[in-house]
């Protein structure tokens, strides 16, 4: 009986084979070389400015003189001595509560309409997405201000005066600009809807379920991870709104502080009043607030977000 021996590689004499730790170190070194631009950018453009901002939040700094350490005075003044600060907080919260649900509802409604469209879906998807690319620009915000100003389109159609000059309506005008930019969440909703198995709708239709019942019992649970994803992203963006409020109120937050958003007041304190230490403290409070709201959303998502792989809520 003949046995076949597998060929083996014999190291050449005088050639030392590298050990595994050495090869691993070389691979890790190559990885860090390719990652170095990102690491350098994160350190120089993100982490270092954050550290400087944290330090400035404990100082009195006016951009022209050396920072003067004041400890927690900026935070104490913010919470106890500044009524405009609390008005900016309430204005921003009201804006988030109005704009985010309306934007997501409109995005989901349009995504449902596009899902069953056979012709022209690509064109309409691009057309509805375009405002998300343009809406954050100053030019669009100025056009929006002209539309809702005295003598503008809304005034001519409704005859109710310019919204941007009325304290009770100016915030709604800014919120509608955000709602108009529903293209990004719409595309995400459309992608999620296309992943729902059609057999579920067919089975429900055979059982006699109405369209509304199919939406509540199939679409919403199966789409809940996507709804949660859009909710988190749009909430974070809403807390940081700046350009529309700046353009519509000419940087003043008017009328009667009705559009004094948090970031607009932060800009006013830092770059108009030259209280950069105070503005840095506001920025860190905003960061902590967004983190807290995001944590609450993740915590409550356990009761309403359905993941098919888990089999339960």
């Amino acid at each position: 009986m003949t046995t076949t021996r597998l060929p083996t590689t014999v190291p050449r004499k005088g050639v030392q084979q590298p050990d595994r730790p050495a090869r691993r170190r070389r691979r890790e070194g190559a990885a860090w070389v390719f990652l170095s631009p990102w690491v350098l950018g994160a350190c120089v453009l993100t982490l270092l400015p954050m550290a400087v901002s944290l330090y400035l939040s404990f100082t009195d700094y006016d951009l022209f003189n050396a920072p003067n350490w004041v400890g927690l005075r900026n935070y104490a003044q913010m919470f106890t001595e500044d009524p405009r600060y609390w008005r900016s907080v309430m204005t921003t919260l009201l804006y988030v509560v109005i704009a985010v649900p309306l934007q997501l509802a409109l995005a989901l409604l349009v995504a449902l309409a596009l899902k069953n469209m056979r012709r022209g879906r690509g064109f309409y998807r691009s057309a509805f997405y375009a405002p998300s690319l343009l809406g954050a620009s100053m030019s669009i915000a100025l056009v929006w201000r002209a539309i809702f100003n005295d003598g503008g389109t809304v005034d001519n159609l409704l005859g109710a005066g310019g919204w941007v000059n009325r304290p009770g309506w100016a915030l709604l005008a800014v919120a509608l600009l955000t709602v108009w930019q529903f293209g990004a969440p719409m595309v995400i909703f459309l992608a999620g809807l296309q992943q729902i198995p059609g057999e579920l709708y067919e089975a429900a239709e055979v059982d006699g379920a109405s369209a509304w019942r199919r939406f509540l019992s199939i679409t919403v649970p199966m789409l809940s991870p996507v709804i949660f994803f859009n909710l988190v992203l749009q909430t974070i963006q809403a807390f940081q709104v700046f350009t529309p409020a700046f353009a519509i109120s000419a940087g003043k937050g008017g009328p009667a502080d009705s559009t004094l958003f948090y970031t607009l007041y932060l800009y006013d304190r830092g770059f108009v009043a030259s209280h950069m230490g105070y503005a840095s403290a506001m920025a860190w409070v905003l960061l902590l607030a967004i983190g807290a709201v995001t944590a609450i959303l993740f915590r409550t998502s356990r009761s309403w977000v359905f993941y098919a792989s888990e089999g339960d809520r």
Side-chain angles (χ1 to χ4, degrees):
M1 182 176 180
T2 304
T3 59
T4 303
R5 299 181 62 183
L6 296 176
T8 59
T9 302
V10 180
R12 289 182 298 173
K13 187 176 181 180
V15 177
Q16 184 178 2
Q17 296 297 316
D19 56 355
R20 291 184 177 179
R23 290 198 300 268
R24 186 182 301 111
R25 285 194 296 269
R26 280 201 295 269
R27 288 197 296 267
E28 292 177 353
W32 279 110
V33 169
F34 286 107
L35 286 173
S36 58
W38 181 89
V39 174
L40 182 62
C43 293
V44 175
L45 301 178
T46 303
L47 297 180
L48 181 59
M50 288 180 65
V52 173
S53 173
L54 181 61
Y55 166 73
L56 292 178
S57 69
F58 297 103
T59 66
D60 181 14
Y61 180 49
D62 61 2
L63 293 175
F64 301 101
N65 300 305
N68 180 32
W69 183 268
V70 295
L72 296 175
R73 191 180 73 182
N74 289 327
Y75 294 93
Q77 180 182 354
M78 186 189 313
F79 293 130
T80 61
E81 304 175 14
D82 191 353
R84 293 196 77 199
Y85 170 80
W86 288 110
R87 281 199 294 272
S88 70
V89 171
M90 298 307 299
T91 300
T92 303
L93 289 176
L94 181 59
Y95 166 81
V96 171
V97 171
I98 294 175
V100 173
L102 288 178
Q103 184 189 49
L104 295 184
L106 182 60
L108 180 57
L109 182 63
V110 175
L112 288 170
L114 291 179
K115 176 189 175 185
N116 299 321
M117 184 178 294
R118 292 291 180 262
R119 293 183 178 180
R121 183 168 61 179
F123 168 77
Y124 286 107
R125 182 169 54 189
S126 302
F128 285 127
Y129 183 75
S132 294
L133 300 176
L134 304 175
S137 65
M138 179 63 73
S139 58
I140 296 297
L142 292 175
V143 171
W144 203 263
R145 178 184 178 182
I147 292 175
F148 287 91
N149 209 341
D150 292 330
T153 305
V154 174
D155 186 14
N156 293 331
L157 291 177
L158 303 179
W163 286 19
V164 297
N165 298 318
R166 302 174 63 185
W169 294 90
L171 179 64
L172 182 59
V174 180
L176 289 178
L177 177 56
T178 299
V179 174
W180 179 64
Q181 304 171 45
F182 64 88
M186 178 211 67
V187 172
I188 298 175
F189 277 139
L190 184 59
L193 288 171
Q194 293 173 344
Q195 300 302 315
I196 301 177
E199 294 81 2
L200 297 178
Y201 293 104
E202 295 173 0
E205 191 172 0
V206 170
D207 290 341
S210 63
W212 179 248
R213 174 54 59 185
R214 293 196 298 271
F215 174 76
L216 292 179
S217 301
I218 298 176
T219 304
V220 172
M222 296 298 292
L223 200 63
S224 56
V226 180
I227 296 175
F228 173 66
F229 177 79
N230 275 331
L231 176 62
V232 171
L233 287 187
Q234 299 309 315
T235 300
I236 293 175
Q237 292 181 10
F239 272 106
Q240 303 176 73
V241 62
F242 174 78
T243 303
F246 184 87
I248 289 177
S249 67
K252 305 298 183 180
D257 287 346
S258 60
T259 59
L260 185 65
F261 291 99
Y262 194 99
T263 53
L264 184 59
Y265 188 50
L266 188 155
Y267 170 84
D268 178 79
R269 293 293 86 196
F271 295 97
V272 178
S274 296
H275 293 164
M276 189 58 66
Y278 190 87
S280 298
M282 287 185 61
W284 276 95
V285 171
L286 177 62
L287 175 63
L288 295 177
I290 292 177
V293 171
T294 305
I296 292 173
L297 291 176
F298 271 92
R299 183 70 177 179
T300 57
S301 67
R302 300 177 182 178
S303 61
W304 62 274
V305 177
F306 174 79
Y307 294 98
S309 59
E310 296 180 357
D312 55 2
R313 291 181 185 268

